[in-house]
Amino acid sequence: MLYFVSAELALGYWLFAFLSALGALQWVAARYCLGGLSFFDQSRWPQSRHWAYFFSVLLVVGSAAGFFGTQWEAIFAPGPAGSELAVLFATSAVCALVVTVVVAALLQRRRQAYTALDVGTGGEPVAVGHATGYVYAPAGFTTLAPAVCLLPAYPIHGTGRDKPSQAHNGPGSTAAGGWVHSMIPLAHRLVEEGVVVLLIHLDEQSYAYPASLAILPAAVAVLSKRPEVDAGRIGVMGEDLGGDLVIRAASTAKEIKAVVALAPILSDVPAGLDLLREMSYFRALRWARDRKRANLPRELNAAEYGLKISPRPVLLVYGEHDRLGGDPWKLLRLPHPREDGAFVPEEAASTPAVGVEVRVIPGVGHFRLAENPLAWQTIHDWLKEHL
Amino acid sequence: MGMDWALFQMANGLAGRSPILDAIIRWLMNDYALSTVLVLVPFALWFSGHSAAERERYQRAVFSTVTALVLANLFVKALNLVYWRWRPFTFHEVTLLFYHPSDSSFPSNAATVGFCIATSIWLFDRKVGAILYVVAALFGLSRIIGGVHYPTDILGGLVIGSVAAYWVSRKMPFLDRLWTRLIMWMRGLLLA
């Protein structure tokens, strides 16, 4: 039977342990980039990381000062014994974890906002196999333009990504409300640079295997029939599982000139705390429990099919902090250069060329890659050279 | 015993000389400060690691620590049933910086817990383990200076805690399979 002796002392210790555990979790979240546990915006590292360290130290030191300051006399009288202290610490630690997960999720939800971009032209709806697509052409073209077909990331339930939107015009929107596409900013940039863009809207149903394999050949057929498109310069680009899909589809569709995959998964979807690097706990749970998402990388087997695209060029783009995307070295049949699985831009750049280039964008993770200006520049330069 | 008493007197002689030193010793020896540090570190380690493999190593260390703590405490309880040692202040004139604990002086529970956690973690991570050894040593030393333990009580706690940690981590391979299952299960909940 537990006997706490002094309720005030026991409650004081519980609060001290709770705040210390909260501080410890914030420190760990900052140290190991666990966005799902952090109260601070990871996209603003390293500035907000310093604040996260400061906040965690403040919590531990502040709670210790508060506890010892108020209970100094009481702690030198008989109080809770070892088993009672163990119970107090265990319950406070569990509560700290629950509070951390919930608060971090609420803060992340507040921070998530899609930037709607207007390219000034309405998209032309087209049927692409069993999916829908919208074609966006640069205004006032005089010569035949290259074209790129964009495949979005696999949707996550309840996140607002790739969901209908009432907000804006341009790529990713329709006059009737349309939908938000994870690659809108990139599409905007490509249209500005004179590339015809076909945005394909894929939901969970249209991502089904093997039906999804028919989408890209259909998209290429749509683009090659358009008067403004140079049929010999059609590329494909996909994000997340869309990247896996473009690699797999391009291995058989010879009319595709160049392939860009943004953070393709390539291998098994990671599990556990790694999912909390860029997602809130609840969002990560939805991600982890999606069986179709878990099966698709194995079914598409992009790592195996990637080398069959050769001699056509392939660009793999990853964020430096991406732990959700697969191992590009697996596709290249090379051992990962680092034991901890981290990407290092210099190492990626020095990877022997086999028709597949790997570029790593510093300071970015899995989800924000398609919105990163440096990624846009990298893709644009590469497409200019290869398309 | 003579050596034990002489060392105790030497350490306890530091108490009562300076209010600042006494305050520091009292802060170090109480049941709440360093004991919280000792459990907070494994708690943080559970979520630490740059890769899944590194994190799994830390998580095994945490499981090993908890099991070793249970084993060490059970051993101390059993030992106290057959061997009882009075506290230094019971029959001697000492400078006491703490209240009068009523349990057996040997072995020190604080040292048992401290060195058990330190050794368990040290077997998986030398750097963090070394830091925890320093914390556990300070905890034990402060209890001698504060007048509640003989040096051999701390030594006993060190031996029991360390042996329990070593035993659980190195001599109970069947636990590894249990840890693997538990980690896999917790990974499904995104907690490992």
Side-chain angles (χ1 to χ4, degrees):
Chain A
M1 193 65 190
L2 296 172
Y3 178 54
F4 292 99
V5 185
S6 159
E8 193 190 336
L9 182 62
L11 277 173
Y13 179 71
W14 189 92
L15 193 63
F16 161 50
F18 169 76
L19 292 171
S20 299
L22 212 60
L25 283 171
Q26 286 311 299
W27 192 88
V28 169
R31 175 86 175 81
Y32 297 103
C33 302
L34 295 170
L37 296 180
S38 180
F39 295 168
F40 294 83
D41 189 358
Q42 261 196 318
S43 64
R44 294 170 67 187
W45 279 171
Q47 292 94 331
S48 67
R49 192 178 217 167
H50 297 313
W51 283 110
Y53 284 133
F54 175 74
F55 180 66
S56 60
V57 171
L58 189 72
L59 274 175
V60 175
V61 175
S63 60
F67 173 68
F68 290 106
T70 55
Q71 304 290 333
W72 186 250
E73 292 306 321
I75 61 175
F76 295 105
S83 49
E84 283 83 11
L85 287 178
V87 168
L88 287 172
F89 186 84
T91 54
S92 67
V94 170
C95 288
L97 183 59
V98 171
V99 167
T100 298
V101 158
V102 172
V103 172
L106 290 173
L107 290 171
Q108 211 174 79
R109 199 184 173 93
R110 269 191 70 179
R111 282 193 292 262
Q112 267 171 2
Y114 249 90
T115 311
L117 294 168
D118 185 356
V119 293
T121 55
E124 183 189 331
V126 287
V128 184
H130 62 286
T132 333
Y134 292 88
V135 177
Y136 295 86
F141 71 93
T142 50
T143 54
L144 290 179
V148 175
C149 169
L150 300 185
L151 282 184
Y154 185 88
I156 306 172
H157 292 288
T159 58
R161 291 190 72 127
D162 307 313
K163 291 275 170 133
S165 158
Q166 307 289 330
H168 62 284
N169 297 315
S173 73
T174 70
W179 35 268
V180 172
H181 194 293
S182 61
M183 298 169 88
I184 290 169
L186 185 55
H188 173 77
R189 175 70 186 261
L190 290 171
V191 172
E192 273 182 348
E193 297 293 337
V195 178
V196 175
V197 171
L198 169 55
L199 274 173
I200 296 179
H201 175 43
L202 288 181
D203 54 21
E204 288 150 78
Q205 275 67 42
S206 44
Y207 249 114
Y209 181 85
S212 56
L213 293 179
I215 290 171
L216 270 180
V220 172
V222 166
L223 283 172
S224 54
K225 282 177 194 157
R226 295 191 65 87
E228 69 272 41
V229 171
D230 180 349
R233 295 168 71 199
I234 296 176
V236 290
M237 193 185 308
E239 183 190 9
D240 180 68
L241 278 171
D244 291 57
L245 187 51
V246 295
I247 291 171
R248 172 66 189 267
S251 68
T252 49
K254 303 293 180 195
E255 58 276 30
I256 294 172
K257 181 96 186 299
V259 179
V260 180
L262 297 175
I265 301 296
L266 295 180
S267 48
D268 285 340
V269 175
L273 280 170
D274 274 331
L275 292 182
L276 299 188
R277 286 178 186 271
E278 293 182 58
M279 287 185 271
S280 73
Y281 180 79
F282 306 104
R283 191 180 176 198
L285 260 188
R286 286 193 292 271
W287 167 293
R289 302 230 160 137
D290 189 337
R291 299 316 307 159
K292 193 186 274 183
R293 171 189 288 283
N295 292 334
L296 262 172
R298 279 195 293 274
E299 289 167 341
L300 292 171
N301 201 6
E304 190 63 38
Y305 284 86
L307 290 182
K308 294 183 182 173
I309 299 171
S310 182
R312 290 168 294 155
V314 178
L315 173 66
L316 302 181
V317 185
Y318 282 96
E320 182 189 13
H321 303 305
D322 188 353
R323 292 294 183 282
L324 301 173
D327 183 353
W329 282 268
K330 189 176 173 183
L331 190 148
L332 297 164
R333 308 290 186 272
L334 292 170
H336 200 295
R338 284 170 68 94
E339 206 177 294
D340 62 3
F343 289 125
V344 177
E346 297 77 38
E347 288 169 354
S350 65
T351 305
V354 284
V356 181
E357 281 183 56
V358 181
R359 299 280 171 83
V360 178
I361 309 298
V364 201
H366 186 80
F367 290 115
R368 298 275 172 170
L369 189 59
E371 298 165 32
N372 185 275
L374 186 57
W376 300 347
Q377 193 59 50
T378 305
I379 292 164
H380 171 256
D381 293 348
W382 189 88
L383 281 175
K384 209 168 179 179
E385 188 184 337
H386 294 96
L387 196 60
Chain B
M1 187 64 198
M3 172 74 98
D4 198 20
W5 174 239
L7 284 172
F8 172 80
Q9 280 185 307
M10 197 189 296
N12 188 236
L14 295 170
R17 287 186 178 182
S18 152
I20 296 171
L21 183 64
D22 283 358
I24 293 170
I25 296 299
R26 292 181 91 200
W27 191 83
L28 292 173
M29 73 185 295
N30 73 72
D31 297 330
Y32 306 93
L34 294 188
S35 56
T36 304
V37 174
L38 285 164
V39 289
L40 204 58
V41 171
F43 173 71
L45 273 184
W46 179 272
F47 301 93
S48 301
H50 289 286
S51 63
E54 191 184 0
R55 203 162 45 237
E56 187 175 327
R57 190 161 57 87
Y58 286 138
Q59 284 158 358
R60 284 177 189 281
V62 174
F63 276 131
S64 185
T65 303
V66 173
T67 313
L69 277 174
V70 171
L71 196 71
N73 277 303
L74 284 176
F75 184 80
V76 169
K77 295 274 181 219
L79 187 65
N80 286 344
L81 292 176
V82 293
Y83 177 77
W84 182 275
R85 187 185 203 185
W86 295 103
R87 295 277 177 168
F89 52 76
T90 313
F91 299 115
H92 300 285
E93 195 69 35
V94 300
T95 308
L96 191 62
L97 299 178
F98 207 52
Y99 63 87
H100 292 70
S102 55
D103 55 339
S104 173
S105 189
F106 183 88
S108 160
N109 286 326
T112 305
V113 168
F115 286 108
C116 184
I117 294 173
T119 307
S120 293
I121 300 298
W122 186 81
L123 289 169
F124 289 87
D125 188 302
R126 298 287 192 264
K127 202 170 145 189
V128 182
I131 294 167
L132 289 177
Y133 267 125
V134 172
V135 175
L138 279 173
F139 201 11
L141 186 64
S142 66
R143 293 218 155 205
I144 303 171
I145 298 172
V148 293
H149 277 301
Y150 293 104
T152 44
D153 299 341
I154 304 301
L155 198 64
L158 185 153
V159 171
I160 293 168
S162 302
V163 168
Y166 179 80
W167 197 265
V168 167
S169 145
R170 295 285 193 265
K171 301 287 178 189
M172 295 176 138
F174 63 93
L175 287 176
D176 258 350
R177 290 193 289 276
L178 180 64
W179 305 156
T180 305
R181 282 188 178 191
L182 283 170
I183 289 169
M184 293 309 287
W185 179 72
M186 293 191 80
R187 215 172 260 180
L189 297 173
L190 310 185
L191 293 173

